[in-house]
Amino acid sequence: MAESTPELKTYYGNCHCGAFKFNIKVPEITCLMDCNCSICSRKGYQWVFPGAGCFTIEKGEGTLKDYEFGSKKMEHKFCPICGTGVMGKRKGVQTGMDIGINARTLRDLDDIWSFKTNTYDGKALEPAYAPHPFKGPEPTADIENAEIYTGSCHCGNVTMALKTKGPLNEGHEHIQECNCSICSRNGTTLTYPLATQVSIQTSSAPTTPYTFGRAMQSHEFCPICGVSIYIRKLSISPEHYAKYSDPQKDQKKWEGIMPINLRCFEGVEWDKIEVKKANFKDFGVKCEV
């Protein structure tokens, strides 16, 4: 007796700003695939693969920007407005096997942390990725016996250095993932040092700012490869700050903190550090697309 075909469910997705919208038809999603390669690890991709005829663009066809590297066998497509990494399109494979969707962009997946994941060892593929060296000035923070971590976006347009009080696994810095609308899509793992602990250099293009909702900060990403870099605090009035923030938290202290994406750094002791989970999905102004 022939096996029954699994029922397809429609999932709807979009980049954060809503410039690109789509839907996919797949069996109910119960498992996602992550990958440890240089680009997927920076973007925190969680992959799902619709079959032939199961991916439909609803809005924004042609708006996504392509990024290729290495052997150029895959186009990584991201929104040039908000930086959301939406999908990958593989070259040289049959239609229906060529599209991978970043499940973080699917509105119908309520809790991305709850899904089982299978890891693909993309890091082992040739040619091996060569990290981009940081050549800028050292962060200005005066820290005795400091540890300095360096990193970059994927293409090397943005390089950075982070100075900490010691190895990150000693717990001197708060490290967290957040399920708010922007952080969940960007797949960022953020740490929250003082701005003086960070040095960021750009070469061919400045980072692209993206602001929404409360308009208190901009999410900065590389315009070439789309990797999320850091969160820049905007110059706002005390009244604006008081409207949207905890009145017990000092505005000047808030302004002095520079959240930065730890996924961009080399040498992070991932197997030894604690990454906290922050439930801010329903906090503040709701994101509508």
Side-chain angles (χ1 to χ4, degrees), residues 29 38 64 69 166 173 203 235:
I29 297 172
S38 56
L64 297 182
F69 65 98
E173 304 293 340
S203 54
S235 177

Side-chain angles (χ1 to χ4, degrees), residues 20 22-25 50-57 86-87 99 101:
F20 186 83
F22 65 94
N23 69 69
I24 60 172
K25 293 180 174 66
C54 294
F55 168 69
T56 302
I57 296 174
V86 177
M87 59 186 287
I99 298 292
I101 297 296

Side-chain angles (χ1 to χ4, degrees), residues 95-157:
T95 302
M97 301 295 290
D98 57 340
I99 298 292
I101 297 296
N102 183 8
R104 292 181 178 278
T105 62
L106 300 176
R107 300 194 298 274
D108 310 274
L109 298 188
D110 187 57
D111 182 7
I112 197 77
W113 293 330
S114 67
F115 285 84
K116 176 186 175 183
T117 58
N118 294 320
T119 299
Y120 176 73
D121 188 14
K123 188 176 182 180
L125 298 177
E126 296 291 344
Y129 177 76
H132 299 275
F134 176 72
K135 297 181 180 179
E138 183 178 302
T140 58
D142 185 12
I143 299 176
E144 188 176 354
N145 299 319
E147 188 88 10
I148 295 182
Y149 295 83
T150 60
S152 71
C153 65
H154 192 270
C155 68
N157 172 55

Side-chain angles (χ1 to χ4, degrees), residues 15 33 76 110 121 146 173 188 211 213 218-219 248 288:
C15 64
M33 191 194 84
H76 293 264
D110 187 57
D121 188 14
E173 304 293 340
T188 49
T211 302
S218 65
H219 295 258
Q248 302 301 317
E288 301 283 357

Side-chain angles (χ1 to χ4, degrees), residues 4 13 39 60-61 78 92 94 100 122 134 136 145 148 155 166 172 179 182 186 196 224 239 244 251 271 274 280:
S4 60
I39 184 70
E61 186 164 6
F78 66 94
Q94 67 185 69
F134 176 72
N145 299 319
I148 295 182
C155 68
H172 299 294
N179 63 358
I182 185 68
N186 288 344
T196 55
I224 299 172
E239 291 77 19
Y244 293 112
Q251 183 175 354
D271 58 337
E274 179 187 3
F280 290 131

Side-chain angles (χ1 to χ4, degrees), residues 51-263:
C54 294
F55 168 69
T56 302
I57 296 174
E58 299 177 352
K59 175 187 175 184
E61 186 164 6
T63 60
L64 297 182
K65 187 170 182 178
D66 295 344
Y67 172 64
E68 298 176 287
F69 65 98
S71 58
K72 297 187 177 181
K73 292 181 178 179
M74 186 171 186
E75 297 170 344
H76 293 264
K77 295 177 178 289
F78 66 94
C79 177
I81 299 172
C82 61
T84 301
V86 177
M87 59 186 287
K89 190 173 191 300
R90 295 189 292 174
K91 298 179 180 179
V93 297
Q94 67 185 69
T95 302
M97 301 295 290
D98 57 340
I99 298 292
I101 297 296
N102 183 8
R104 292 181 178 278
T105 62
L106 300 176
R107 300 194 298 274
D108 310 274
L109 298 188
D110 187 57
D111 182 7
I112 197 77
W113 293 330
S114 67
F115 285 84
K116 176 186 175 183
T117 58
N118 294 320
T119 299
Y120 176 73
D121 188 14
K123 188 176 182 180
L125 298 177
E126 296 291 344
Y129 177 76
H132 299 275
F134 176 72
K135 297 181 180 179
E138 183 178 302
T140 58
D142 185 12
I143 299 176
E144 188 176 354
N145 299 319
E147 188 88 10
I148 295 182
Y149 295 83
T150 60
S152 71
C153 65
H154 192 270
C155 68
N157 172 55
V158 186
T159 60
M160 64 205 83
L162 169 66
K163 182 186 286 188
T164 67
K165 295 178 181 178
L168 288 167
N169 58 289
E170 293 182 354
H172 299 294
E173 304 293 340
H174 180 77
I175 301 169
Q176 75 174 31
E177 292 180 2
C178 169
N179 63 358
C180 75
S181 61
I182 185 68
C183 290
S184 60
R185 279 176 171 78
N186 288 344
T188 49
T189 300
L190 296 173
T191 189
Y192 299 80
L194 297 175
T196 55
Q197 291 176 248
V198 179
S199 180
I200 296 175
Q201 300 292 304
T202 58
S203 54
S204 58
T207 55
T208 296
Y210 173 61
T211 302
F212 69 99
R214 298 176 297 166
M216 296 176 66
Q217 52 195 15
S218 65
H219 295 258
E220 305 280 329
F221 63 93
C222 175
I224 299 172
C225 61
V227 170
S228 296
I229 305 298
Y230 74 107
I231 299 174
R232 180 170 61 90
K233 303 300 176 68
L234 301 179
S235 177
I236 59 175
S237 68
E239 291 77 19
H240 189 144
Y241 180 81
K243 181 178 180 180
Y244 293 112
S245 299
D246 183 343
Q248 302 301 317
K249 294 183 178 180
D250 181 74
Q251 183 175 354
K252 289 298 181 183
K253 285 187 177 181
W254 173 82
E255 291 172 346
I257 295 172
M258 181 183 287
I260 192 162
N261 187 7
L262 204 57
R263 288 183 177 272

